[in-house]
Each structure stands twice: as structure tokens, then as C-alpha cells.
Amino acid sequence: MVRFEAWLLMVFLGLMWALPIWMSTLTPQFCTSLKTLEDRLNASLRKRYLKHNFPINYTLQVRYEEVFRLKNISKLNDSADLRDLQELWFEVTDRGIKKILTVLPEKHPTRRKYLKELHDQFILIEENFQEQNPYEGAIPEVIRDIKERLEDTNYQGWRSVTPKSLLDNCYRSMHCLFKDCFVINGTQYDYCKPQHWRKGKETQG
Ligand SMILES: *[C@@H]1O[C@H](CO)[C@@H](O)[C@H](O)[C@H]1NC(C)=O
Ligand SMILES: *[C@@H]1O[C@H](CO)[C@@H](O)[C@H](O)[C@H]1NC(C)=O
Ligand SMILES: *[C@@H]1O[C@H](CO)[C@@H](O)[C@H](O)[C@H]1NC(C)=O
Ligand SMILES: *[C@@H]1O[C@H](CO)[C@@H](O)[C@H](O)[C@H]1NC(C)=O
Ligand SMILES: *[C@@H]1O[C@H](CO)[C@@H](O)[C@H](O)[C@H]1NC(C)=O
């Protein structure tokens, strides 16, 4: 009996400790900075800097894991917490922006007038998020596998994507994963549904 009580206490303490890991807190300050990022990533700027400023049909070679779509989120939803997916979003987005930066010459307008600053802004937001949501739990296996493939130096099976599509996907999944920040006039849109992006003003370009 004593043993059972001790066990119960341990479970209870474990839960108390684990609680902050399950919920990620999006502070008003974090949301404000995420919304500035949203503005910088709006459809017309993405089109100008990530499509028109590149040669027609220009593509980059990326790993499959470097594209983070809405579909990925719904697939991973059962096996990972929101916190894990948000973390993954930060990692994949960071890689995406860096990847585009590596192909841009120093003086390219997309680098100078847009992407470098966007990346700096992004890093600050990421740091702010990590601070407020410190990682204390175990990373689920599915997420660990994805991270491993992202780092795999013998990676096989690259795919070609346009620079714009990398950030289009990042933009949509950001809305899905941080939807509390994107409540408009009290309305919570279902950003996780692909339909949301089909009908709207958001051009897929
Ligand atoms: C995107 O942002 C730019 C610069 O702030 C602004 O001029 C433009 O109207 C915005 N476009 C859309 C579609 O919101
Ligand atoms: C670009 O891709 C589209 C669709 O795949 C193709 O129809 C078009 O001819 C390509 N344009 C150039 C300049 O390669
Ligand atoms: C997203 O899904 C595609 C297709 O199933 C997969 O190849 C890719 O690795 C996934 N990306 C992430 C970040 O999980
Ligand atoms: C993930 O699952 C939660 C709880 O089951 C649900 O509320 C949420 O809408 C799901 N999100 C996605 C993107 O499917
Ligand atoms: C939100 O509400 C205000 C005032 O009712 C309105 O002017 C504005 O256009 C609304 N914004 C959106 C995005 O619907």
C-alpha cells in the first residue's frame, strides 16, 4: 500500500512537472512579433522577392523533410504535441531561409532588401519562443527521426522546390501551429485546413 501511495505521488509530481511541456504559451509579445513576421511574409512580398527576383522556374534541391506542409502537421498530430510541431516548424523554417540565402549573391536584392532581415527577425522570435517554452520533455520518436534525416550527410532522394514554395508552406503552417496569434476580430479561422488557403486572397502563385 505504501508503495502504491509512493507511486501515486511520483505520478502526481511527474504530471505537475510535465504540465508546462504539454501546453505551449504564446504571450501577446510573442504574437506581436509573429505578426510582424506574417506581414513581412505576405503574398505580394513573397511573390516579388522569392519568385520575380529569381530566374523563371528556378528551383533548389532540398530534403523531403525540409518542406513542412499542412499535411505533415495533420499526419504528425497524433504522435507529437503541438509544442514539438512548433519546434519543428522553427527548425525547418530556419533551414529553408538559410538555404535560399546560400544561393543568393551578396548583392542580390532579395538578400539585401528582404531575406537577411527576415532571417534576423526570425531568429529573435525563435529565441523568444525557446525562452518561454523551454524543452524539458522527451522528443517523440517521429520528430527525432525527422531531425535525424535533416542532419543525415548521406541523404538520398533530394527534391526540387521553388524558393517561394518553401516559404509559402512555412507561412501556412505557421498559421496552423500558432493559430491563437492569428485570431482576427474574434474569429478563429481554421488555418490547418487546405481549403482555407484555396478560396482566400492568398495567392498560391
Ligand atoms: C504586403 O506588405 C507590403 C509592405 O508592407 C504592402 O505594401 C502590401 O500591400 C502588402 N500586401 C498584401 C497582399 O497584404
Ligand atoms: C516553366 O515551367 C512551366 C511549367 O512546368 C513550363 O510550362 C514553362 O515552359 C517553364 N518555363 C521556362 C522558361 O522554362
Ligand atoms: C512531409 O510529408 C512528406 C510526404 O509524406 C514527407 O516526405 C516529408 O518528410 C514530411 N516533412 C516533414 C517536415 O515531416
Ligand atoms: C490535432 O489534434 C487536436 C486534438 O485532437 C485537434 O484539436 C487539432 O485540431 C488537430 N490539429 C490538426 C492540425 O489536425
Ligand atoms: C475588423 O473589424 C474592424 C471594425 O469592425 C474592421 O474595420 C476591419 O476591417 C475588420 N478586419 C478584418 C480583417 O476583418
Side-chain angles (χ1 to χ4, degrees), residues 51-68:
K51 186 172 179 180
H52 295 162
N53 273 359
F54 279 87
I56 296 170
N57 292 354
Y58 182 88
T59 58
L60 296 155
Q61 295 286 302
V62 301
R63 293 158 207 251
Y64 279 85
E65 290 75 20
E66 283 171 308
V67 182
F68 194 13

Side-chain angles (χ1 to χ4, degrees), residues 144-165:
R144 244 184 297 144
D145 287 349
I146 293 170
K147 283 171 179 272
E148 249 166 51
R149 286 198 295 278
L150 283 169
E151 300 295 340
D152 185 358
T153 46
N154 291 315
Y155 194 85
Q156 310 280 326
W158 300 75
R159 58 176 296 189
S160 303
V161 296
T162 64
K164 181 167 175 295
S165 78

